[in-house]
């Protein structure tokens, strides 16, 4: 499948036009995105506590690439493409603790450092060299409790890629290193292309219209709600609304040391979300599952000692906002797939983070 990308498109994007509508459902574009974006970027994998002890492993995705993250016997954190070198069955499933990783198809067995320890009957095969058939390694690194993976062994380091995002968060009262994992709150499927889901995340132009409760809690006035970006991340900051509407209770009482929300997007598909209250970060990830579907999940990290009922209250609030967004993006997906509007038009004052994302997509694919 060949993809023709017009050079003039970059100029159009700079002027405020969007990516072509066809890019949100075209299978050829999707394949190229996997190769040029998801095979080459740092993506959130799991909480470090899930691979704290030797032998612990957990399976994750980098785009469509299955990955297994594992703590080996020498206490080193490692990650591999979770695909058997024999004929492609997935090696590990779910998470757990094991001494080796054994494929469930013909029992090729890998050590936790990825080397092939045993392949039944391979000694009868002249010229078979086990040392050539270990699991394919990928990059793995951590930031606070977050484990990240990158299938591209030649990629820039995670630290370089994060730029000043960690410092920016600490400055605003949230240090992920001081938070603890409270589990995956939710996981659901969105009937929309992953880019539509990301783009919806990158603007709050829709908030007053589509998120009434959110807009009572957070000040979404364009003079209060601030947008900024680096190269590989972007940020939105919204203070707690000063004007409380009479009589109507807020979705929850934002009590705690964090007085403003912050929503950070990391290229290509992970986001860090802090709501006002006790220090918290919810890692919301958008995982492509084909041109028309996106898996979304939310991993919660909180200041130690945050009471369960507050965690549940804020999860319920996020779920409400999440459902509103799920409906929006499914509608946009149908609209773009109709083929009847070739391109949209951004309002750059409110939507320049979305433009920044589309330029990254364009540059990656062209
Ligand atoms: S595919 Fe894994 S052992 Fe055959
Ligand atoms: Fe939204």
């Amino acid at each position: 499948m060949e993809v023709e990308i017009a050079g003039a498109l970059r100029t159009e994007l700079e002027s405020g036009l969007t990516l072509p509508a066809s890019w949100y459902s075209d299978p050829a574009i999707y394949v190229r995105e996997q190769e040029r974006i998801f095979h080459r970027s740092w993506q959130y994998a799991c909480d470090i506590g899930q691979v704290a002890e030797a032998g612990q492993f957990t399976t994750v995705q980098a785009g469509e690439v299955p990955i297994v993250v594992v703590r080996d016997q020498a206490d080193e954190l490692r990650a591999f493409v979770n695909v058997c070198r024999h004929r492609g069955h997935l090696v590990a499933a779910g998470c757990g603790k094991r001494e080796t990783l054994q494929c469930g198809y013909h029992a090729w067995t890998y050590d936790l450092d990825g080397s092939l320890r045993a392949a039944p009957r391979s000694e009868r095969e002249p010229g078979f060299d086990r040392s050539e058939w270990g699991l394919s390694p990928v990059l793995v690194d951590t930031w606070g409790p977050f484990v990240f993976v990158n299938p591209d062994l030649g990629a820039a380091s995670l630290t370089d890629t994060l730029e000043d995002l960690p410092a920016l968060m600490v400055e605003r009262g949230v240090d992920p290193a001081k938070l603890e994992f409270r589990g995956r709150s939710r996981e659901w499927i969105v009937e929309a292309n992953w880019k539509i889901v990301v783009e919806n995340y990158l603007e709050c132009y829709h908030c007053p219209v589509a998120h009434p409760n959110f807009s009572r809690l957070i000040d979404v006035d364009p003079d209060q709600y601030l947008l900024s970006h680096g190269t590989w991340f972007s940020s939105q900051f919204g203070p707690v609304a000063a004007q409380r509407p009479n009589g109507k209770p807020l979705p929850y009482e934002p009590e705690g040391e964090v007085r403003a929300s912050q929503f950070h997007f990391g290229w290509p598909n992970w986001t860090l979300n802090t709501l006002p209250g006790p220090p918290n970060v919810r890692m919301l990830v958008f995982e492509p599952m084909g041109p028309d579907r996106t898996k979304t999940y939310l991993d919660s990290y909180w200041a130690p000692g945050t009471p369960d009922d507050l965690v549940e209250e804020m999860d319920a609030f996020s779920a409400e906002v999440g459902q509103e967004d799920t409906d929006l993006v499914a509608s946009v997906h149908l609209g773009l797939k109709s083929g009847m509007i070739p391109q949209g038009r951004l309002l750059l004052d409110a939507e320049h983070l979305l433009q920044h994302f589309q330029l990254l997509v364009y540059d990656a694919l062209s």
Side-chain angles (χ1 to χ4, degrees):
M1 278 184 289
E2 250 328 290
V3 180
E4 284 286 334
I5 294 177
L9 179 54
R10 199 173 206 289
T11 315
E12 292 177 358
L13 294 172
E14 283 163 358
S15 78
L17 291 176
T18 66
L19 291 172
S22 61
W23 282 35
Y24 297 83
S25 53
D26 181 346
I29 290 284
Y30 182 78
V31 168
R32 188 180 281 214
E33 286 169 349
Q34 290 298 316
E35 293 166 359
R36 301 279 187 93
I37 298 175
F38 292 94
H39 290 187
R40 300 184 184 178
S41 311
W42 284 100
Q43 287 150 80
Y44 172 74
C46 61
D47 166 52
I48 190 71
Q50 293 173 283
V51 281
E53 293 168 26
Q56 269 190 306
F57 72 93
T58 189
T59 55
V60 301
Q61 293 287 129
E64 297 233 2
V65 182
I67 304 272
V68 56
V69 182
V70 62
R71 176 83 57 185
D72 75 11
Q73 303 298 0
D75 208 35
E76 193 173 329
L77 189 60
R78 295 177 181 268
F80 304 98
V81 175
N82 184 24
V83 176
C84 185
R85 294 292 307 282
H86 176 218
R87 275 175 41 219
H89 191 275
L90 302 188
V91 179
C95 58
K97 195 169 174 184
R98 300 259 294 267
E99 305 225 317
T100 57
L101 296 174
Q102 186 175 70
C103 178
Y105 200 174
H106 314 90
W108 281 31
T109 303
Y110 302 90
D111 280 319
L112 300 181
D113 66 2
S115 54
L116 180 62
R117 171 193 287 216
R121 297 192 229 164
S122 63
E123 67 289 349
R124 299 157 64 111
E125 194 72 11
F128 182 82
D129 181 355
R130 263 189 291 134
S131 71
E132 288 172 9
W133 296 99
L135 293 174
S136 307
V138 304
L139 297 183
V140 61
D141 204 350
T142 58
W143 162 28
F146 312 135
V147 178
F148 284 85
V149 293
N150 187 334
D152 178 7
L153 293 176
S157 71
L158 176 65
T159 311
D160 285 351
T161 308
L162 292 173
E163 305 170 85
D164 51 354
L165 174 58
L168 204 71
M169 289 178 67
V170 169
E171 242 168 61
R172 297 193 179 239
V174 182
D175 181 356
K178 295 186 178 152
L179 305 181
E180 62 184 30
F181 185 50
R182 295 288 281 268
R184 180 158 300 183
S185 329
R186 274 184 322 135
E187 187 175 301
W188 69 107
I189 302 292
V190 179
E191 303 293 333
N193 182 270
W194 71 278
K195 299 189 296 302
I196 297 174
V197 185
V198 169
E199 291 172 7
N200 173 68
Y201 179 87
L202 290 174
E203 48 91 0
C204 207
Y205 184 27
H206 71 276
C207 295
V209 185
H211 300 309
N213 271 339
F214 179 88
S215 304
R216 287 196 292 119
L217 179 74
I218 304 296
D219 195 339
V220 296
D221 181 277
D223 291 328
Q224 304 301 324
Y225 192 88
L226 303 179
L227 311 175
S228 67
H229 68 78
T231 304
W232 301 112
F233 76 96
S234 62
S235 303
Q236 304 171 64
F237 301 101
V240 175
Q243 297 286 338
R244 300 289 169 79
N246 287 344
K248 280 201 161 185
L250 289 177
Y252 69 90
E253 263 317 307
E255 282 166 22
E257 41 186 294
V258 180
R259 295 307 299 163
S261 61
Q262 29 180 315
F263 306 112
H264 307 280
F265 164 74
W267 172 259
N269 69 332
W270 48 274
T271 68
L272 297 167
N273 303 275
T274 297
L275 287 169
N280 67 92
V281 168
R282 276 87 73 67
M283 178 69 85
L284 176 67
V285 179
F286 311 125
E287 224 169 66
M289 297 182 76
D292 296 335
R293 272 154 62 92
T294 304
K295 181 172 119 180
T296 306
Y297 65 83
L298 187 69
D299 278 1
S300 294
Y301 295 83
W302 290 85
T306 305
D308 284 342
D309 53 350
L310 185 56
V311 172
E312 281 161 24
E313 213 175 344
M314 279 162 83
D315 280 348
F317 172 59
S318 301
E320 175 192 306
V321 178
Q323 186 57 54
E324 289 161 353
D325 281 324
T326 296
D327 296 343
L328 295 173
V329 296
S331 171
V332 170
H333 187 85
L334 293 176
L336 294 181
K337 205 176 177 179
S338 73
M340 298 309 282
I341 61 154
Q343 244 169 322
R345 166 68 155 87
L346 302 179
L347 298 189
L348 291 177
D349 181 53
E351 295 175 302
H352 65 272
L353 301 188
L354 205 154
Q355 177 192 45
H356 175 250
F357 169 73
Q358 295 199 351
L359 286 166
L360 290 179
V361 171
Y362 173 86
D363 289 342
L365 266 53
S366 62

